[in-house]
Amino acid sequence: SPRYDQEVSCEIARLIGNAPGAQNVVMSGTATRDFSSFPTYILAAGKMVSVGVRKTPTWSKLTTCPVFRKDGSIFAQGAGLSRDPGTGFSVPYLDLPDEEEKVLRQLDRKASTTELAKVLSPELAEILGRAVVPGRRFPTDPVSTAGDLYRLMFLKDADSGDQKQLDRLAVRAFAHKFKDTLTYRCTLRGHSDPRTGLVWAVDTMVRIKDEVCEVDEPMWIASRKFSFRDGQGAVTELECWRPGSFTIDTNEDEAT
């Protein structure tokens, strides 16, 4: 699984107005931002499962009852029977313990991408904050402000046997759409970072600071290609994604 929690190892910078030098390794770079299919809210539904629910009884069980003689005296008294001056004799009741019954419940997972964006990317949070409807909307809700975008992504997976499996489905679906919000491609001089000497490698975190493409955030190297070009020497081509754009398992740190 990708190691998104690792420290940033290198920096790829391209500054406007900065004189070309040995430290500026970016030969060319492009940033693609595609929001054409990015959802504002995700709703994943699984199959109906049987779960145990604790239910408190709404009634009690009579455990003892007095028998009165004609003169009003008690013929038999159960344990705990007491006299109440206002109402005569009170009959004790024993509350039944909570019962557990099986009910059918549909597995589901709900997530607002605007809330996720606040954690994942400041740039994405700013874009979504200006353009989309936050949270879930229903057909009975009033009409939203003109220009606000609401795009519900609904997933149905009858094969998910428990909540963890359905959660993984929702995470993978979100990651696929999240990847398209920013893809950064660049061509670099050399096969290693001149500042640290580290060889460019996949599954590593780098800091992208490209003022031409307006990218300034940590990104994950998804692909790398080494080559040699006539008149240019060693060249590296990288494709970088936002952390979380590719997910195999939601439990990366758990031992298997």
Side-chain angles (χ1 to χ4, degrees):
S1 299
R3 297 177 296 120
Y4 296 127
D5 58 347
Q6 62 184 296
E7 295 293 331
V8 172
S9 58
C10 303
E11 180 180 275
I12 298 175
R14 183 170 60 160
L15 307 179
I16 297 177
N18 189 33
Q23 301 300 316
N24 186 11
V25 297
V26 179
M27 301 171 61
S28 63
T30 59
T32 303
R33 297 173 173 87
D34 184 359
F35 290 86
S36 60
S37 62
F38 188 70
T40 64
Y41 197 88
I42 296 175
L43 174 59
K47 66 181 181 180
M48 301 293 291
V49 295
S50 178
V51 296
V53 177
R54 302 294 293 180
K55 180 181 179 182
T56 302
T58 57
W59 51 277
S60 299
K61 181 180 179 181
L62 179 66
T63 57
T64 183
C65 181
V67 177
F68 295 92
R69 296 188 180 96
K70 291 182 179 180
D71 59 0
S73 61
I74 297 177
F75 175 77
Q77 181 174 335
L81 193 66
S82 61
R83 183 174 180 83
D84 187 334
T87 59
F89 290 93
S90 61
V91 180
Y93 286 79
L94 176 64
D95 289 336
L96 293 178
D98 292 348
E99 299 174 338
E100 184 172 349
E101 64 178 14
K102 295 292 185 179
V103 298
L104 289 177
R105 182 175 68 86
Q106 187 177 46
L107 297 174
D108 65 69
R109 174 59 62 196
K110 304 179 181 68
S112 171
T113 55
T114 53
E115 295 300 321
L116 291 173
K118 295 178 181 179
V119 180
L120 297 172
S121 170
E123 182 199 57
L124 181 61
E126 181 183 356
I127 293 174
L128 297 181
R130 297 194 308 261
V132 306
V133 177
R136 176 82 185 275
R137 286 188 57 82
F138 297 90
T140 55
D141 291 343
V143 178
S144 178
T145 305
D148 287 344
L149 172 67
Y150 178 74
R151 184 183 290 134
L152 174 66
M153 181 179 182
F154 177 76
L155 307 171
K156 176 69 175 180
D157 182 27
D159 296 328
S160 294
D162 54 37
Q163 190 65 47
K164 288 184 177 180
Q165 293 178 359
L166 187 64
D167 289 347
R168 292 189 181 102
L169 170 71
V171 168
R172 288 196 300 270
F174 169 78
H176 180 70
K177 300 296 184 180
F178 180 56
K179 178 179 71 68
D180 295 337
T181 62
L182 177 60
T183 300
Y184 180 76
R185 299 177 179 88
C186 61
T187 302
L188 310 177
R189 296 185 181 90
H191 292 167
S192 61
D193 179 23
R195 300 176 181 85
T196 62
L198 297 175
V199 176
W200 302 113
V202 297
D203 194 24
T204 56
M205 296 294 299
V206 295
R207 179 77 184 188
I208 307 295
K209 191 172 183 179
D210 191 326
E211 293 183 351
V212 177
C213 297
E214 297 183 347
V215 178
D216 186 7
E217 59 185 88
M219 301 192 72
W220 180 73
I221 298 181
S223 67
R224 176 207 68 184
K225 179 182 179 181
F226 288 157
S227 63
F228 287 89
R229 297 181 181 179
D230 293 339
Q232 295 178 339
V235 173
T236 302
E237 298 176 46
L238 299 179
E239 181 172 323
C240 303
W241 301 344
R242 278 178 166 147
S245 296
F246 174 66
T247 301
I248 298 177
D249 192 355
T250 57
N251 302 316
E252 294 93 350
D253 298 330
E254 293 186 3
T256 55

